[in-house]
Amino acid sequence: MGNMTLFHYQTPAPDLTVEQLLKDKWQGGKKTVHLMRMSKSVLDANNEPIDDWRTPLAAGTELVFTFPEAISTYLADEQSALTVLFEDEHILAVVKPAGIATHPDGPGETGTLMNRVMAYVKKQGGNYAEHIHRLDKGTSGIVLIAKHPIAKSLFDRMIEQNVITRTYIAEVDGHVKRPKGTIRLPIGRDRHHPAKRIVSTSGQSAVTNFRIIERKEDTTIVEAELETGRTHQIRVHLSHLGHPVTGDTLYDGHATEDGTYRLTATALAFVHPFTEQQMTINI
């Protein structure tokens, strides 16, 4: 399979070499950058390979990036719909319904969000799609998808550095007294229950900011914003406060009639690393 052009880019400033752009500005992984160099994956505006990666480029130089062997192995699930909230040459923002996993646990598995995404990408002639973060199976909402390996590398680092603001809406049991607050409690594995997480002094640091949106008869609607992204973080933190997510029986929430729990990832905000524009994506 030949190279596929994935995006065009205009250099914003002079004195930036191709190597600096890929390695330093975009934090491209060594393997990806090496593969791109060997396969002459960086072209000029006339689609001619740029062989000199160490000479500074003039501001406004147009580059065309292609990626050899950038192929994801998810099976395409063409039977299920996919809601796309945002798309450009670098990323997709899609909605994961409650009740399906973000990605397969093993080869050949289908029925997950990434199987739906792969079908969508393949219809557009693409072969690459990788999730940048995950949502629990029972949580619905926005998931970011990388459309090429450099985007994957860059957004992974943005997640690690907590520069992507992730906002959730939860309905929780009972009446939360404080109108807003910050929960700073480390989260670790529950040794007695492999699927559970607990507040644990030996766990990883975890920070959740919250504010009350609405008080109902027996529940409270809470907006929560993650500063860290630990497994089950919002569910564990709110349960520890004595207000588990409604329907989240794993963490002692009151069961719901439909068996789901009330937690949705409703917004993402970040500075787009390629366009340098402030982005906010909402459901």
Side-chain angles (χ1 to χ4, degrees):
M1 182 175 294
N3 287 3
M4 182 184 302
T5 300
L6 282 157
F7 65 95
H8 293 70
Y9 183 77
Q10 281 197 324
T11 55
D15 305 327
L16 196 65
T17 68
V18 172
E19 190 164 275
Q20 288 170 330
L21 181 67
L22 289 169
K23 285 187 174 179
D24 302 334
K25 186 174 177 64
W26 290 348
Q27 305 283 301
K30 282 185 180 178
K31 182 181 176 183
T32 299
V33 173
H34 176 72
L35 189 63
M36 291 176 71
R37 188 197 296 274
M38 292 298 100
S39 59
K40 301 185 183 297
S41 292
V42 184
L43 314 177
D44 62 21
N46 298 316
N47 285 333
E48 293 295 327
I50 295 177
D51 295 318
D52 183 357
W53 281 29
R54 295 190 172 176
T55 298
L57 301 166
T61 299
E62 183 170 334
L63 302 174
V64 181
F65 290 86
T66 66
F67 289 91
E69 298 174 31
I71 297 171
S72 299
T73 57
Y74 305 110
L75 296 176
D77 177 3
E78 295 170 3
Q79 305 305 313
S80 302
L82 182 72
T83 301
V84 176
L85 300 173
F86 174 82
E87 181 175 10
D88 65 9
E89 293 177 294
H90 313 285
I91 55 171
L92 271 171
V94 302
V95 177
K96 185 187 87 66
I100 69 169
T102 300
H103 59 87
D105 281 333
E109 185 183 339
T110 58
T112 76
L113 178 70
M114 289 310 300
N115 299 117
R116 299 184 184 191
V117 169
M118 203 67 226
Y120 177 84
V121 167
K122 284 195 168 185
K123 280 180 184 173
Q124 296 183 313
N127 286 298
Y128 184 95
E130 298 291 341
H131 58 89
I132 292 159
H133 58 112
R134 290 182 291 251
L135 294 179
D136 299 337
K137 188 173 182 178
T139 304
S140 60
I142 306 173
V143 175
L144 275 183
I145 312 292
K147 292 176 67 175
H148 59 76
I150 294 291
K152 172 65 173 159
S153 181
L154 253 182
F155 276 89
D156 280 349
R157 280 167 178 76
M158 290 168 67
I159 290 284
E160 287 169 15
Q161 294 162 2
N162 301 322
V163 294
I164 298 178
T165 302
R166 287 172 282 172
T167 305
Y168 293 72
I169 297 292
E171 183 171 4
V172 302
D173 292 347
H175 290 156
V176 181
K177 292 178 181 176
R178 285 186 288 165
K180 62 180 180 178
T182 298
I183 308 166
R184 298 179 186 274
L185 295 167
I187 292 174
R189 291 182 178 275
D190 184 337
R191 289 179 299 171
H192 309 291
H193 196 310
K196 273 185 91 169
R197 300 293 188 270
I198 56 172
V199 168
S200 166
T201 52
S202 63
Q204 294 177 295
S205 65
V207 182
T208 305
N209 301 304
F210 71 90
R211 68 185 183 94
I212 305 308
I213 301 292
E214 182 186 351
R215 299 183 191 278
K216 295 192 168 186
E217 189 175 346
D218 300 311
T219 60
T220 307
I221 306 296
V222 176
E223 181 184 85
E225 191 178 284
L226 294 181
E227 286 191 22
T228 53
R230 307 305 176 203
T231 300
H232 298 184
Q233 179 172 317
I234 292 173
R235 299 163 64 190
V236 172
H237 273 172
L238 292 174
S239 179
H240 190 80
L241 285 190
H243 300 284
V245 174
T246 301
D248 190 5
T249 53
L250 182 64
Y251 292 104
D252 303 318
H254 288 124
T256 54
E257 286 185 11
D258 61 6
T260 64
Y261 59 79
R262 310 291 191 242
L263 180 62
T264 301
T266 54
L268 290 170
F270 54 90
V271 176
H272 197 304
F274 295 97
T275 66
E276 299 183 4
Q277 291 181 318
Q278 176 65 47
M279 301 278 305
T280 302
I281 300 169
N282 297 287
I283 284 185

